[in-house]
Amino acid sequence: QVQLVESGGGLVQPGESLTLSCAASGSIFSTVQMGWYRQAPGKQRELVATLNSGGGINYADSVKGRFTISRDNAKNTVYLQMASLKPEDTGIYYCNAYIYTTHVSWNEYWGQGTQVTVSS
């Protein structure tokens, strides 16, 4: 069993910053990729940023230059530093991970989500 627990969401004003954290725990053999997705009201879930075990990073065009994804391998934790936040960044942010629980068995996991609201 693997659990992903997010933290750090909240209410901020436009232009402010916020940092999200996601800690993975449980039967982790190795982690292939961790990342963040978000879902705004009435919209589909979309990719925000991903970071793979080789250090490769992918950002949505809408957040490039404003958001930074990073990872602490020792803690199995991924972070999303969000700066210059805009009202359109509002949504539920979900942590996502592809994790090997043995040397041959892997699965995709999701966190429960954390709310980010950007409003004046």
Side-chain angles (χ1 to χ4, degrees), residues 50-120:
T50 59
L51 172 58
N52 64 37
S53 58
I57 293 176
N58 185 35
Y59 291 107
D61 287 343
S62 59
V63 307
K64 284 180 180 177
R66 300 188 298 121
F67 290 12
T68 303
I69 189 170
S70 61
R71 182 173 161 180
D72 185 332
N73 291 325
K75 296 181 179 179
N76 282 320
T77 299
V78 65
Y79 305 95
L80 185 68
Q81 296 173 279
M82 304 182 292
S84 302
L85 282 161
K86 304 175 181 180
E88 50 263 43
D89 294 317
T90 294
I92 300 174
Y93 283 68
Y94 295 92
C95 181
N96 171 271
Y98 290 86
I99 294 175
Y100 275 88
T101 53
T102 70
H103 69 290
V104 295
S105 178
W106 65 271
N107 282 294
E108 181 182 23
Y109 298 92
W110 290 92
Q112 80 285 356
T114 185
Q115 177 71 45
V116 173
T117 303
V118 185
S119 175
S120 55

